[in-house]
Amino acid sequence: MSTIKRQLPHPSELFEQVSLKKPEFNPTTRRLAAALTIEDLRKIAKRRTPRAAFDYTDGAADDEISMDRSRQAFSDIEFHPSILRDVSHVDTSTTIFGGPSALPFGIAPTGFTRLMQTEGEVAGAGAAGAAGIPFSLSTLGTTSIEAVKDANPGGRNWFQLYVMKDRSISYALVQRAAAAGFDTLFFTVDAPVAGARLRDKRNGFSIPPVLTLPTVLNAIPRPAWWINFLTTPKLEFASLSSTGGTVGELLDNAMDPSISFDDLDEIRALWPGKLVVKGVQNVEDAKRLIDLGVDGLVLSNHGGRQLDRAPVPFRLLPEVVREVGRDAEIAIDTGIMNGADIVASIAMGAKFTLIGRAYLYGLMAGGRAGVDRAIEILAEQIVRTMKLLQVSSLDELGPQHVTQLDRLVPSASARGLSIG
Ligand SMILES: Cc1cc2nc3c(=O)[nH]c(=O)nc-3n(C[C@H](O)[C@H](O)[C@H](O)COP(=O)(O)O)c2cc1C
C-alpha cells in the first residue's frame, strides 16, 4: 500500500514544472529536428523520394550482402571505455591528406546526386564547408567543378576520378579540378565495370529518367520532389554526355577496364595535390600502392555497389594498418550510419572516414538543411561516444577501445552435417 501523501493539484505548480513547447511552423525544420539518427533520415528520405531515385541510392549490388555485412560489422563490436579521465573538452579535429578537418569524416563522392534532391552537390559542398569537413565531387557528378568551388569557397574540395575510355575527358577534368583549387584526387579503382544494381533494373531506372505508368503513380504522393525536379535546371551529368540507360550501363560504356598500376605515374604527373587510391580491398595492393608513393588509401567496397561479397573494409582495416604501418594515411568507408562507427574506425587505425548514403539520406530528407542535420547527428554521436569512452582527442583512441566480435555461426550439427 502506497504511503505517499496526496494533495489537491495546484495550477500554479503545474505551470512552474511544465512549459509549453513553441510550435515549429516550418515543416522541413520540424521533420529534421525529429530525426535523431541517420536511419530516421533514411525513413524520411524514403517517404519523400520517388522509388527509382531512392533505390538507386539505398541499393547495392546483387543480393546487397556486402552492404549488409559492412553495416553489421559496425554493430558487431564491443567498446571498452576507460574511466576517470577529464572529458569536459573533446577535440574531434584531425589532419588528413595535408589539411585540416573539424571532424574525422568527409563526404564521399557520389554520382548523379541531383537525382536524389535537386540541390545535390551544392547542398553537400555548402554543408561540408560550414561544418569544416571536406567534400568530394564525383566524375559522375551533376554539378560542375567550378560550381562546387563556389558553394564551398573557403573549404576543402576533393575530386574523384574515373578513368574513361576516352582518357582525354578524364584527364581534362583532373586539370580543371586542380585549377579550381581542389586539393586531393581520389582515383577510384574498384569499377572497371559496374556492379549488378538489380533494384535499378527492376525499377526500369534510366538516365535521363523516363516516365512510365508506375513512375507516375509512385510520384503522386511525392509532389515536392517533382516540383523541384521540374522547376530547376535540367538533371544531367555536369562533365559527361549521357547516352541513356541505367547508371550501370552508362558506367560500362564509359569506363576504361584496361586501367592498371602502370597508369598511376601519368595521373600523378597531372595532379599537383594529394593522390589517394579509393577502393583498395587487400593488403598486398595496399602495400604496393604505398611503396609506389601514393599519399593515401581508401579501403572501400564502394558501399557494396560493385563486387557483392567483397571484403568488409572495417574488418580489413586492422590487417592493412598492421602491414603498412600507422604512418600511411588510411581512410575507410562503407556502412557508416552512426558517429560511433566512425569512432570505432579511428580506434582500429583509420585516419579518416567517408560517408556516402548517410549524407544522401539527409539530402533526400531535406536538401541542404537535411545534409546539415546528417552531419550534426554524426558529430553529436562522435562527441558522445568519445566522452563515454573517456578520450578527449582522436589520437587517444586505439585498438584497446574496440573489439571486433565474430558472429556466431551455426554449428556443424545445426547445418545438418554429421560429426564423426
Ligand atoms: C548513390 C551513390 C553513388 C556513388 N557514386 C560514386 C562515384 O561516382 N564514384 C565513387 O568513387 N564512388 C561512388 N559511390 C561510393 C561512395 O563514394 C562510397 O564509397 C560509399 O557510398 C560508402 O558507403 P556508404 O554509402 O555505406 O557510406 C557512390 C555511392 C552511392 C551510394
Side-chain angles (χ1 to χ4, degrees):
M1 186 123 149
S2 162
T3 53
I4 198 153
K5 203 173 151 237
R6 303 265 169 197
Q7 62 180 32
L8 284 173
H10 293 287
S12 62
E13 268 180 23
L14 181 73
F15 287 113
E16 231 171 68
Q17 291 181 28
V18 182
S19 61
L20 274 182
K21 198 170 173 226
K22 264 203 257 138
E24 173 55 66
F25 294 109
N26 180 325
T28 307
T29 312
R30 200 170 53 232
R31 220 175 22 244
L32 294 174
L36 302 181
T37 62
I38 299 297
E39 181 57 34
D40 288 346
L41 289 176
R42 178 180 174 277
K43 288 192 183 115
I44 301 170
K46 189 170 184 180
R47 279 202 306 274
R48 298 179 55 78
T49 315
R51 182 179 177 152
F54 179 80
D55 274 351
Y56 166 66
T57 311
D58 191 59
D62 295 280
D63 296 324
E64 308 191 350
I65 293 171
S66 277
M67 183 181 71
D68 292 345
R69 283 185 186 163
S70 300
R71 288 184 181 169
Q72 189 65 52
F74 285 120
S75 304
D76 291 346
I77 63 164
E78 189 172 72
F79 278 122
H80 304 286
S82 306
I83 54 161
L84 293 172
R85 315 290 204 275
D86 177 359
V87 284
S88 30
H89 300 286
V90 163
D91 181 3
T92 59
S93 68
T94 188
T95 55
I96 181 71
F97 309 141
S101 178
L103 293 159
F105 69 91
I107 292 187
T110 59
F112 223 51
T113 311
R114 288 191 54 233
L115 170 77
M116 291 89 180
Q117 202 273 354
T118 192
E119 294 171 51
E121 290 91 351
V122 165
I133 64 172
F135 174 81
S136 318
L137 174 66
S138 162
T139 294
L140 301 179
T142 42
T143 302
S144 72
I145 290 167
E146 294 74 18
V148 164
K149 176 72 185 172
D150 287 347
N152 183 20
R156 296 184 73 192
N157 294 303
W158 297 348
F159 188 72
Q160 177 265 324
L161 169 70
Y162 275 135
V163 176
M164 287 174 274
K165 284 183 188 133
D166 183 347
R167 293 195 179 187
S168 62
I169 300 179
S170 302
Y171 294 164
L173 291 174
V174 170
Q175 283 162 330
R176 249 170 79 189
F182 284 43
D183 67 67
T184 295
L185 184 70
F186 281 149
F187 173 27
T188 297
V189 294
D190 55 13
V193 294
R197 319 269 172 84
L198 301 184
R199 290 201 217 181
D200 293 353
K201 283 267 183 208
R202 293 194 173 113
N203 288 331
F205 168 56
S206 71
I207 289 176
V210 284
L211 289 180
T212 58
L213 184 63
T215 330
V216 173
L217 291 178
N218 187 261
I220 293 167
R222 296 170 173 84
W225 188 94
W226 286 92
I227 292 167
N228 278 332
F229 179 67
L230 296 170
T231 60
T232 55
K234 192 174 160 209
L235 172 66
E236 57 189 356
F237 292 114
S239 311
L240 288 183
S241 53
S242 131
T243 47
T246 63
V247 175
E249 285 157 0
L250 190 131
L251 270 174
D252 285 347
N253 289 333
M255 296 309 139
D256 184 348
S258 73
I259 196 88
S260 76
F261 276 96
D262 299 338
D263 298 302
L264 269 174
D265 281 348
E266 192 178 8
I267 296 167
R268 169 92 278 172
L270 290 170
W271 183 253
K274 299 287 178 187
L275 176 62
V276 174
V277 177
K278 174 173 181 283
V280 178
Q281 302 188 63
N282 70 46
V283 177
E284 289 68 37
D285 286 344
K287 282 209 286 209
R288 185 164 174 195
L289 288 165
I290 296 296
D291 290 345
L292 286 169
V294 303
D295 299 301
L297 310 175
V298 184
L299 306 183
S300 169
N301 65 31
H302 209 113
R305 298 163 74 83
Q306 288 297 105
L307 176 66
D308 200 17
R309 290 180 274 177
V312 170
F314 180 60
R315 291 214 166 255
L316 183 63
L317 178 66
E319 204 187 337
V320 172
V321 171
R322 197 166 47 243
E323 291 297 321
V324 304
R326 275 203 171 236
D327 293 342
E329 296 206 313
I330 296 166
I332 75 162
D333 74 14
T334 302
I336 292 171
M337 292 285 282
N338 190 305
D341 304 342
I342 295 172
V343 173
S345 304
I346 304 297
M348 296 308 286
K351 188 83 207 295
F352 203 65
T353 61
L354 296 173
I355 54 158
R357 294 184 187 82
Y359 136 68
L360 297 172
Y361 295 141
L363 178 67
M364 291 187 281
R368 163 67 195 268
V371 184
D372 288 335
R373 182 73 186 125
I375 296 173
E376 183 180 55
I377 289 172
L378 293 170
E380 284 170 5
Q381 291 168 334
I382 289 171
V383 170
R384 190 168 46 249
T385 307
M386 287 175 69
K387 286 190 172 184
L388 290 171
L389 283 174
Q390 305 206 21
V391 296
S392 50
S393 72
L394 297 171
D395 288 345
E396 288 170 36
L397 286 166
Q400 72 277 16
H401 291 111
V402 176
T403 311
Q404 293 181 329
L405 304 174
D406 282 322
R407 283 189 83 66
L408 298 176
V409 291
S411 66
S413 57
R415 280 185 276 131
L417 302 178
S418 61
I419 306 167

